[in-house]
């Protein structure tokens, strides 16, 4: 009897075995770069790109007029040989490369640029790329006097005009393949929804290396759709994928121990984590809390009482720097280096709070009416580093007698609270900054705008400093010289430091993982960190892969 | 004549049952639509936090959401479209729901059936083994293994499956197995302790004969009920496991739909899952009654 | 009571005692961060090491035991009671009542209860005390977790309904309610116990998953569910085996519950 059962058990195991043996073998390096997208690409039309996955595909397939070199942070000619911006900042004229073709053979002329710009500036089109160009009311005029020149005139000056063209991938006006005909180093060859995207080398790509060999070196790029970061790291360790574009601190340390040559930390990036208090007058909060959050001394004291270096050291294992303003020091030009760096000072914080009428009694901070100071911070669930940051802030603020609660919410509920119902007290979120130019943050600093998170969509500025911010943002948007814009933006940073509407916490480092099999990589601080020079990457034999198999 | 009559009665009965199930499924789908519509976070999108959008664009995006504003009108449009076989279009993925379901259902169905098969086989064999031995060692180790598997979060099981390069159905069987094992064991024990089994053993009947002819028929009805339940457990387990193993099945679709509050998708996925579970349980019920000799 | 049952009961009592007297044993408050020693190994100051923020792991384990061990069995009891009442009544009464109950069970298994839980969270004020939020979470789990076993209980009840001793009791003039309570329910007890002990670890783990909705245990309060979520990184666990202690403790508790409760009933 037992024997029969054992036979049956063995049969069961045998049923399962074939699935264990010979599971998908890692792809052989030999011309195909393999990495992961963190979500499903929503569109292949470069004009409609709004999330990371589509943006990655646009970067790899789109041909742009001007390319921002992610390493030097300087603008480089790409499809345009040269360009000129008029003194009033409204017109930009391009001289284009001649003799180029789209991936399907259609010739590239100024017609295509005109077609792309017309489609982009169509008022019916709603996209972040197009909206970045919209500086004022009126029609955009596009002239293509010859096959290799094109001039675009905007109704009002557009700040940082040239840089914006790094996001505009040129579409073909005449190709039957529409947006699938591209000018970039790769084109979309295959798309399996939910699974992967395959990009193949565009043989008509214009760029050549310094020896005159046509780029790109890679035959193809396979992008798997992989949402889970643990699995992404696991697959990188196994050698199934060649790079991870944005790596979190905890995975970085794990990888650095096992594969030190693969983990790259390019230094402080542009991404910031910050916290703010709800200052909306119609918010469903008690009057006393509204008064606390509106008091500048309260916000400044909270900022002083948070130990940012501990946050960087413990939560991010040293892979972050304390942040004090909206601009990261990695943004060399726009960062205001003349501002003093505040120190962690809980005694000073208490002094500042005393000025606003708060008193510390028996280890509890009370306001002038005797109410205990306590508030709740909301953040999005699933983000361990944010939860850990709030846990550390809880301890920091408990030392000045403030009790902080944390509630994590799923993202849609969180957004509903901060943009519609305003039913929250404080919120901790991060900003993923892809643009160096502060003009992209217009909708954050204007008091009438949607993203002025602490008090959005004001009919008129609620405070004098917000009115000043409005004036400065408008001034820098219409200024034509970078020096004038920098002066305005420096003043904005100063006001933010004095008023602390956003309490900036840390600037995360730009970390990526690149397999030693990838030759020619140069991880940068700007996104895409690991594959910004995809057309110059090549795959060599990987000594580590042999040992892993 | 009688045979025709019997066939006609059976056919009418099956049709009644089927339409009853369909109505129940649709009721379930509409109820889930209500749940989703009134849950917080409906109608807001992550893109609202992107500062690059202009005010007009954000307004235009919000206008698009007005389509699903009225729940009654949504019910009406959904049902009338369903009558034509049109499942609607997904809000977040911008593709027809029918296409998505057709793509993903076979994968999930495959994983669930294989997972259940392995789990049932393993649970049955181990339950029988424990019974045959009747010693404390098997009981203790069986208990320990079940407890361990129950205590592991499905995220960890899914990660283990990925780590060991095992397909998703293995993770599903690991999740379903402990819940089956204990029930089966207690059912088998109760059945073996029946007086007629003792009498059969005293008469010298072989153990296989006792199992097939005396124990199994008694335990069959609750076992078949358990089969229906294990379907439900497997479906429930498939959602986090597929989401974590990134296997492009129905479970992953349901998870993404929930996160992005995609009303058309959630309603249709609920409908499919409802129908599958109702059908599986109805079949298990019928089989159980047939086994027990019940007539309708 | 058999020796195995006695041993299991003793272990459970020990763990309950640890939980109640946790404050005496702990080296430090569970929220206190020793920021100089994050992710440290076991030492005299921290017998089980520290977590990522430098909080003492032993204190967190003992305090987490309180939350999980008090609330998860309560939620399991609630869900088992609901399943027992519905399942045995449905199987015993039969007919259309049974059909309705089973249909409702099937549908409710397919529904996305996620959204109900989200709505509950939205209705709660943000400053609700963390303990109240967790109690509400376990209550919701108990109210929503009964479906899986109703069918099995119903089928078993149907079987008991057709048995001889019930026929005897009925012909002796027993009222249906008394039949249900005194004849049917005792025969289904093994199934009830099976459902109960399976539910306990399920609810502990569900509590961890509910933190995605803001209904779980919030920082800095610890719970077993939170402690178990750290296992997704195998290499870290393999390198620091003391991190397996919460899992081992949970497995022991679940095993003890199962061994303590009588699993076999001799049917007269």
């Amino acid at each position: 009897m037992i024997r029969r059962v054992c036979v049956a058990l063995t049969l069961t195991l045998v049923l399962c075995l074939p699935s264990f043996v010979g599971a998908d073998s890692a792809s052989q390096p030999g011309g195909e770069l393999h990495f992961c997208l963190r979500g499903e690409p929503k569109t292949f039309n470069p004009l409609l790109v709004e999330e990371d996955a589509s943006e990655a595909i646009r970067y790899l397939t789109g041909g742009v007029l001007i390319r921002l070199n992610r390493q030097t942070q300087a603008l480089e000619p790409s499809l345009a040989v040269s360009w000129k911006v008029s003194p009033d900042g409204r017109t930009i004229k391009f001289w284009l490369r001649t003799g180029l073709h789209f991936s399907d053979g259609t010739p590239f002329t100024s017609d295509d640029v005109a077609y792309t710009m017309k489609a982009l500036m169509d008022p019916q089109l709603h996209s972040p790329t197009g909206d970045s160009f919209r500086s004022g009311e009126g029609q955009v005029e596009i002239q293509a006097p010859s096959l290799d020149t094109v001039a675009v005139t905007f109704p009002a000056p557009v700040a940082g005009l040239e840089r914006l063209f790094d996001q505009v991938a040129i579409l073909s006006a005449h190709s039957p393949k529409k947006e699938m005909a591209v000018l970039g180093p790769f084109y979309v060859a295959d798309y399996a929804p939910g699974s992967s995207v395959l990009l193949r080398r565009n043989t008509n790509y214009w760029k050549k290396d310094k020896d005159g060999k046509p780029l790109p070196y890679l035959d193809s790029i396979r992008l798997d759709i992989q949402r889970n970061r643990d699995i992404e790291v696991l697959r990188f360790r196994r050698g199934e994928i060649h790079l991870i574009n944005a790596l979190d601190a905890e995975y970085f340390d794990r990888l650095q121990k096992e594969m030190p040559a693969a983990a790259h930390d390019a230094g402080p990036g542009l991404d910031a984590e910050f916290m703010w208090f709800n200052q909306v007058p119609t918010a469903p909060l008690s009057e006393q809390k509204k008064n606390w959050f509106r008091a500048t001394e309260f916000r400044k004291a909270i900022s002083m009482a948070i130990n940012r270096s501990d946050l960087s050291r413990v939560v991010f294992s040293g892979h972050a720097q304390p942040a004090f303003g909206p601009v990261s020091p990695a943004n060399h030009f726009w960062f205001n280096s003349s501002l003093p760096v505040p120190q962690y000072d809980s005694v000073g914080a208490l002094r500042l709070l005393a000025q606003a009428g708060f008193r510390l009694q028996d280890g509890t901070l009370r306001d002038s009416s005797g109410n205990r100071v306590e508030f709740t911070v909301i953040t999005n669930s699933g983000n361990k580093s944010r939860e850990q940051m709030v846990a550390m802030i809880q301890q920091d603020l408990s030392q000045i007698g403030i009790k902080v609660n944390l509630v994590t919410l799923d993202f849609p509920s969180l957004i509903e609270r901060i943009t519609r119902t305003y039913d929250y007290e404080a919120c901790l979120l991060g900003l993923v900054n892809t643009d160096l130019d502060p003009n992209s943050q217009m909708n954050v600093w204007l008091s009438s705008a949607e993203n002025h998170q602490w008090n959005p969509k004001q009919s008129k500025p609620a405070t004098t400093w917000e009115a000043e911010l409005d004036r400065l943002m408008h001034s820098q948007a219409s200024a034509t010289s970078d020096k004038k814009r920098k002066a305005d933006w420096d003043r904005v940073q100063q006001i933010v430091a004095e008023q602390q509407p956003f309490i900036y916490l840390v600037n995360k480092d730009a970390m990526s993982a690149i397999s030693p099999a990838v030759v020619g990589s140069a991880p940068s601080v700007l996104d895409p960190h690991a594959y910004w020079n995809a057309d110059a990457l090549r795959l060599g034999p990987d000594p580590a892969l042999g040992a892993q198999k | 004549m009688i045979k025709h009559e019997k066939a006609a009665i059976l056919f009418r009965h099956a049709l009644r049952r089927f339409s009853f199930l369909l109505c129940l499924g649709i009721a379930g789908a509409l109820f889930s639509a209500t749940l989703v519509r009134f849950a917080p976070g409906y109608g807001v999108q992550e893109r609202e936090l992107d500062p690059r959008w202009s005010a007009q664009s954000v307004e235009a995006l919000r206008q698009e959401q007005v389509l699903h504003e009225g729940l009654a009108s949504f019910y009406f449009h959904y049902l009338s479209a369903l009558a034509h076989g049109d499942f609607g279009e997904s809000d977040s993925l911008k593709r027809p729901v029918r296409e998505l379901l057709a793509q993903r259902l076979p994968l999930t169905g495959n994983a669930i059936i294989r997972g259940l098969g392995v789990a049932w086989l393993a649970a049955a064999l181990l339950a029988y083994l424990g019974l045959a031995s009747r010693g404390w060692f098997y009981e203790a180790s069986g208990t320990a293994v079940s407890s361990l598997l129950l205590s592991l979060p499905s995220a960890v099981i899914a990660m283990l499956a990925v780590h060991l390069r095992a397909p998703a159905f293995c993770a599903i069987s690991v999740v379903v197995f402990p819940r089956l094992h204990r029930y089966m064991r207690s059912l088998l024990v109760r059945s073996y302790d029946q007086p007629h089994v003792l009498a059969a053993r005293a008469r010298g009947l072989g153990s296989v004969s006792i199992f097939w002819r005396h124990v199994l028929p008694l335990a069959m009805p609750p076992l078949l009920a358990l089969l229906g339940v294990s379907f439900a457990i497997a479906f429930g387990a498939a959602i986090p496991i597929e989401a974590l193993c990134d296997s492009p099945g129905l479970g992953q679709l349901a998870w993404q739909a929930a996160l992005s509050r995609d009303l058309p998708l959630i309603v249709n996925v609920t409908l499919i899952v409802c129908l599958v579970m109702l059908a599986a349980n109805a079949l298990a019920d019928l089989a159980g009654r047939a086994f027990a000799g019940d007539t309708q | 009571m058999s020796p195995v049952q006695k041993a299991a009961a003793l272990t459970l009592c020990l763990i309950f005692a640890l939980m109640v007297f946790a404050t005496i044993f702990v080296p430090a408050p569970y929220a206190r961060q020793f920021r100089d020693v994050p992710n440290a190994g076991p030492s005299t100051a921290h017998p089980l090491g520290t977590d990522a923020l430098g909080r003492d792991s032993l204190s967190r384990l003992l305090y987490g035991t309180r939350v999980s061990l008090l609330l998860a069995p309560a939620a399991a009891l609630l869900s088992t009671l609901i399943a027992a009442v519905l399942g045995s009544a449905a199987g015993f009464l039969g007919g259309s009542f049974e059909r309705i109950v089973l249909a409702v069970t099937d549908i409710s298994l397919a529904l996305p209860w996620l959204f109900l839980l989200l709505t509950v969270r939205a209705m709660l004020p943000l400053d609700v005390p963390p303990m109240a939020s967790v109690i509400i979470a376990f209550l919701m789990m108990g109210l929503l977790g009964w479906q899986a076993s109703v069918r099995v209980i119903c089928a078993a009840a149907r079987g008991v309904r057709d048995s001889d001793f019930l026929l005897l009791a009925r012909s002796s003039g027993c009222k249906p309610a008394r039949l249900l309570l005194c004849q049917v329910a005792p025969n289904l007890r093994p199934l009830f116990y099976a459902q109960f002990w399976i539910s306990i670890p399920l609810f502990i783990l569900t509590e961890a998953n509910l933190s995605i909705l803001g209904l779980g245990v919030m920082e800095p309060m610890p719970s077993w569910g939170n402690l178990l979520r750290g296992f997704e990184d195998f290499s870290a666990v393999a390198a620091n085996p003391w991190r397996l202690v919460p899992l081992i403790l949970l497995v022991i508790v679940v095993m003890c519950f199962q061994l303590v409760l009588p699993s076999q009933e001799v049917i007269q």
Side-chain angles (χ1 to χ4, degrees):
Chain A
M1 191 65 238
I2 304 283
R3 223 180 297 145
R4 284 187 219 209
V5 171
C6 289
V7 165
L9 258 171
T10 322
L11 262 168
T12 317
L13 282 166
V14 166
L15 266 174
C16 306
L17 260 176
S19 45
F20 282 94
V21 169
D24 48 277
S25 51
S27 53
Q28 293 297 319
E32 179 167 282
L33 187 70
H34 199 172
F35 63 98
C36 296
L37 292 174
R38 293 243 168 100
E40 188 96 27
K42 295 224 173 92
T43 177
F44 290 122
N45 184 340
L47 303 180
L48 295 174
V49 162
E50 51 180 82
E51 24 66 69
D52 292 339
S54 314
E55 181 126 16
I57 294 180
R58 179 175 71 180
Y59 186 87
L60 292 168
T61 59
V64 295
L65 296 170
I66 302 172
R67 179 56 92 200
L68 173 71
N69 184 311
R70 275 19 185 205
Q71 201 168 37
T72 62
Q73 295 187 13
L75 295 171
E76 284 176 350
S78 187
L79 290 173
V81 177
S82 62
W83 62 91
K84 187 160 150 32
V85 181
S86 65
D88 65 356
R90 289 178 54 210
T91 309
I92 182 165
K93 187 162 180 197
F94 295 100
W95 284 264
L96 308 172
R97 277 179 218 274
T98 49
L100 301 187
H101 297 266
F102 282 85
S103 52
D104 66 341
T106 322
F108 164 64
T109 63
S110 54
D111 264 354
D112 303 306
V113 179
Y115 169 75
T116 308
M117 287 310 294
K118 211 177 293 204
L120 189 66
M121 302 314 303
D122 183 351
Q124 299 304 318
L125 184 85
H126 299 293
S127 85
T129 321
D131 286 351
S132 316
F133 284 96
R134 289 184 217 282
S135 52
E137 298 300 319
Q139 278 280 65
V140 174
E141 281 163 25
I142 304 153
Q143 288 157 348
S146 68
L147 283 176
D148 64 347
T149 48
V150 63
V152 186
T153 308
F154 295 90
V158 179
L161 181 56
E162 310 155 288
R163 216 172 271 276
L164 291 172
F165 281 93
D166 177 78
Q167 306 284 313
V168 181
I170 305 296
L171 296 173
S172 170
H174 305 295
S175 164
K177 284 203 174 155
K178 306 239 186 275
E179 71 257 17
M180 301 311 270
V182 293
L183 287 161
F186 301 93
Y187 69 94
V188 177
D190 187 39
Y191 170 47
S195 185
S196 68
V197 181
L198 178 66
L199 305 175
R200 285 233 161 82
R201 177 201 286 139
N202 176 8
T203 42
N204 290 334
Y205 187 50
W206 60 272
K207 224 179 184 185
K208 295 189 174 15
D209 67 3
K210 49 184 172 30
D211 298 325
K213 278 208 344 241
L215 294 178
Y217 298 126
L218 294 166
D219 288 329
S220 55
I221 299 182
R222 182 173 290 280
L223 302 166
D224 283 344
I225 296 167
Q226 179 69 263
R227 278 172 195 88
N228 189 307
R229 310 224 174 164
D230 286 304
I231 297 182
E232 195 183 9
V233 172
L234 188 73
R235 294 181 68 189
F236 180 80
R237 275 212 208 101
R238 280 200 212 141
E240 283 172 25
I241 55 176
H242 294 107
L243 60 92
I244 300 178
N245 190 43
L247 204 52
D248 293 333
E250 53 168 315
Y251 299 117
F252 183 86
D253 287 331
R254 269 190 248 165
L255 268 179
Q256 198 172 41
K257 267 187 231 140
E258 294 171 25
M259 304 161 66
H264 299 269
D265 184 345
L270 301 182
D271 298 349
E273 299 281 314
F274 56 93
M275 188 174 109
W276 73 88
F277 289 100
N278 186 357
Q279 294 184 49
V280 176
T282 53
L285 301 175
S286 61
E287 272 313 305
Q288 88 223 26
K289 288 199 177 164
K290 286 190 199 173
N291 292 334
W292 298 345
F293 302 151
R294 273 190 236 151
T296 309
E297 294 91 358
F298 181 81
R299 298 192 300 268
K300 285 190 81 167
I302 301 278
S303 178
M304 281 170 80
I306 295 175
N307 191 334
R308 289 172 176 77
S309 50
D310 273 358
L311 287 177
S312 316
R313 188 173 52 82
V314 177
V315 176
F316 296 97
S317 314
H319 299 294
Q321 306 293 324
F324 303 99
V327 184
S328 155
N331 192 343
H332 307 304
F333 183 71
W334 295 104
F335 179 62
N336 185 350
S337 42
S338 64
L339 284 175
V341 175
Q343 296 300 321
Y344 164 59
D345 183 6
S346 45
V347 170
L350 279 170
R351 231 180 297 131
L352 206 55
L353 284 166
Q355 283 175 21
F358 294 87
R359 302 266 172 268
L360 189 64
Q361 287 168 8
D362 305 320
T364 310
L365 192 74
R366 292 185 188 274
D367 67 2
S368 43
S369 324
N371 302 307
R372 185 191 176 154
V373 178
E374 182 178 338
F375 60 86
T376 307
V377 177
I378 59 173
T379 189
N380 64 309
S381 61
N383 193 317
K384 224 192 304 183
S385 43
R386 285 191 193 142
E387 291 176 35
Q388 288 175 339
M389 277 198 282
V390 180
M392 295 189 75
I393 291 173
Q394 276 174 328
Q395 180 157 302
D396 286 339
L397 293 183
S398 69
Q399 294 183 348
I400 56 170
I402 299 180
K403 182 158 182 290
V404 176
N405 301 316
L406 166 67
V407 173
T408 54
L409 298 171
D410 69 311
F411 219 52
S413 304
L414 182 88
I415 298 178
E416 192 184 60
R417 277 181 195 262
I418 61 179
T419 60
R420 307 283 173 88
T421 62
Y422 307 119
D423 183 12
Y424 72 100
E425 291 167 11
C427 180
L428 190 145
L429 276 184
L431 187 69
V432 172
N433 229 330
T434 46
D435 202 354
L436 292 168
D437 194 312
N439 197 52
S440 57
Q441 293 185 43
M442 195 71 163
N443 283 327
V444 176
W445 302 107
L446 282 181
S447 59
S448 54
E450 290 275 338
N451 296 94
H452 195 74
Q453 297 299 359
W454 68 92
N455 189 356
K457 297 192 284 201
Q458 299 173 30
S459 46
K460 59 181 181 63
T463 57
T464 41
W465 56 271
E466 281 174 285
E468 177 69 6
L469 280 177
D470 283 357
R471 189 191 66 76
L472 287 164
M473 289 310 287
H474 284 304
S475 162
Q476 68 83 34
S478 53
T480 45
S481 91
D482 271 353
K483 214 167 90 169
K484 172 78 175 62
R485 291 185 67 209
K486 170 115 170 86
D488 288 335
W489 187 239
D490 277 355
R491 178 83 187 106
V492 167
Q493 290 175 69
Q494 196 175 10
I495 295 176
V496 170
E498 286 163 13
Q499 299 293 333
Q500 298 283 326
F502 286 139
I503 299 175
Y504 288 90
L505 299 171
V506 294
N507 282 124
K508 296 192 286 197
D509 280 0
M511 292 174 282
S512 50
I514 306 177
S515 158
V518 177
V519 179
S521 67
S524 82
V525 152
L526 299 179
D527 205 37
H529 313 288
Y531 60 89
W532 62 271
N533 56 345
D535 50 8
L537 294 177
R538 63 172 95 204
L539 291 174
D542 179 17
L545 275 178
Q548 273 172 14
K549 292 240 189 68
Chain B
M1 203 57 173
I2 298 178
K3 266 198 187 152
H4 285 303
E5 276 177 18
K6 255 194 165 170
I9 292 171
L10 221 68
F11 177 71
R12 266 206 304 271
H13 175 79
L15 201 67
R16 252 205 319 257
R17 201 76 198 272
F18 175 72
S19 31
F20 179 61
L21 290 181
L22 195 63
C23 290
L24 276 179
I26 294 178
L30 293 179
F31 184 68
S32 75
T34 319
L35 273 178
V36 175
R37 178 62 191 82
F38 293 114
Y42 180 74
V44 289
Q45 309 204 328
E46 208 177 308
R47 51 161 78 128
E48 293 188 30
L49 289 184
D50 188 338
R52 295 176 298 173
W53 292 92
S54 71
Q56 294 97 321
S57 296
V58 175
E59 210 33 62
L61 289 172
R62 291 206 182 147
Q63 289 302 315
E64 279 176 21
Q65 292 297 317
V66 179
L67 271 166
H68 294 313
E69 220 61 297
L71 198 59
S73 73
F74 174 77
Y75 285 161
F76 177 70
H77 285 118
Y78 175 68
L79 287 171
S80 49
L82 198 63
H84 293 103
D86 175 19
F87 284 86
E89 194 183 81
S90 154
D91 283 341
S92 59
L93 295 171
K94 298 282 186 283
R95 282 174 35 225
V97 176
R98 188 151 60 167
E99 194 189 298
L100 286 167
L101 289 176
Q103 221 167 47
R104 301 207 173 208
L105 200 55
L107 209 80
T108 304
N110 195 330
I112 285 179
I113 290 173
R114 282 161 92 190
L116 279 179
V118 172
W120 269 86
L121 216 62
L125 285 169
L126 284 168
Y128 191 79
L129 208 67
L131 211 61
S133 68
R134 294 260 188 175
W136 67 267
F137 176 71
Y138 279 109
E139 160 114 29
S141 47
T143 311
V145 169
S146 296
S147 309
L148 178 66
L149 291 177
L150 272 176
S151 310
L152 283 175
S154 45
V156 176
I157 296 176
M159 285 301 295
L160 260 172
V162 175
H163 214 65
L164 298 170
R165 295 178 207 251
F169 83 81
C170 295
I172 293 177
S173 24
V174 165
V175 169
V176 175
F177 163 78
R179 293 149 173 76
L180 287 182
H181 178 243
R182 185 63 187 176
Y183 272 128
M184 285 179 98
R185 212 183 119 67
S186 81
L187 278 170
L188 282 179
V189 161
R190 270 178 67 230
S191 308
Y192 261 98
D193 283 340
Q194 293 292 319
H196 67 275
V197 178
L198 189 62
R201 279 232 297 264
R203 293 245 172 106
L205 278 168
S207 40
V208 179
S209 171
I210 291 179
F211 180 73
W212 282 111
R213 290 219 220 110
H214 299 281
V215 174
L216 205 57
L218 203 68
M220 214 38 163
L223 273 179
L224 283 167
L226 193 62
L227 183 67
V229 169
S230 58
F231 233 100
I233 298 174
F235 245 112
I239 294 180
I241 286 175
E242 278 184 4
L244 287 161
C245 294
D246 259 353
S247 134
L250 203 63
Q252 194 204 52
L253 192 68
W255 184 240
Q256 279 171 44
L259 287 179
S260 50
R261 310 286 200 272
D262 192 337
L263 191 57
L265 204 52
I266 292 175
V267 165
N268 286 299
V269 170
T270 310
L271 178 66
I272 300 284
V273 175
C274 256
L275 287 177
V276 169
M277 295 230 258
L278 285 168
N281 281 313
L283 284 170
D285 247 351
L286 282 169
R289 282 177 210 268
F291 226 102
D294 258 336
T295 45
Q296 279 296 332
Chain C
M1 253 193 163
S2 72
V4 177
Q5 281 181 308
K6 282 194 203 149
L10 199 65
T11 319
L12 276 176
C13 288
L14 211 72
I15 295 177
F16 270 95
L18 257 177
M19 171 184 89
V20 167
F21 298 112
T23 38
I24 309 177
F25 294 106
V26 293
Y30 65 79
R32 170 112 179 267
Q33 296 157 11
F34 296 91
R35 296 181 181 178
D36 295 320
V37 285
N39 287 321
S43 62
T44 41
H46 305 286
L48 280 181
T50 59
D51 72 356
L53 292 183
R55 296 176 294 202
D56 183 60
S57 295
L58 182 62
S59 325
R60 291 185 73 75
L61 183 62
L62 291 175
Y63 274 99
T65 309
R66 272 193 194 175
V67 172
S68 301
L69 218 47
L70 280 175
L71 295 177
L77 194 66
L78 180 62
S79 84
T80 308
L81 269 170
I82 298 176
V85 165
L86 277 176
S88 27
F92 181 68
L93 295 172
S96 46
F97 180 71
E98 181 187 354
R99 267 208 292 272
I100 294 173
V101 167
L102 292 178
V104 167
T105 308
D106 288 334
I107 300 181
S108 68
L109 269 170
L111 291 175
W113 291 114
L114 188 84
F115 297 100
L116 178 66
L117 295 170
L118 279 171
T119 315
V120 168
R121 171 71 254 183
M123 294 193 313
L124 292 174
L126 280 180
D127 56 3
V128 67
M131 203 58 199
S133 167
V134 178
I135 291 174
I136 292 171
F138 277 101
L139 191 72
M140 300 295 309
M141 283 195 274
L143 289 172
L144 295 174
W146 50 268
Q147 298 101 335
S149 58
V150 168
R151 267 193 180 269
V152 187
I153 293 174
C154 184
R158 225 184 287 139
V160 173
R161 177 186 67 190
D162 299 330
S163 61
D164 297 329
F165 64 89
L166 208 70
L167 189 60
L168 178 65
R170 216 189 312 214
S171 58
S172 312
C174 242
K175 295 261 169 49
R178 198 183 149 77
L179 276 173
L180 202 58
L181 266 169
C182 301
Q183 306 289 349
V184 176
N187 279 285
L188 297 176
R189 250 202 298 233
L191 282 176
F192 298 161
Y193 290 149
Q195 164 68 6
F196 176 66
W197 82 257
I198 285 177
S199 308
I200 298 173
L202 279 180
F203 288 156
I204 291 177
L205 296 173
T206 313
E207 175 272 311
N209 291 328
L210 281 180
S211 59
I212 292 182
L213 307 172
L215 271 176
V217 160
M218 285 295 124
E219 291 281 353
M221 248 170 92
S223 80
W224 276 359
N226 278 342
L227 297 172
L228 287 171
R229 288 198 92 179
F231 287 161
E232 291 171 34
D233 175 21
F234 298 128
S235 54
V237 172
N240 311 301
W242 52 89
R243 292 196 192 167
L244 282 171
V245 175
L247 180 65
I248 295 170
L249 201 56
L250 175 60
V251 175
I252 291 175
V253 165
V254 168
M255 273 183 69
C256 290
F257 265 114
Q258 183 191 350
L259 293 171
V260 155
L261 300 168
S263 59
Q264 294 162 232
E265 291 272 299
V266 176
I267 301 169
Q268 296 300 332

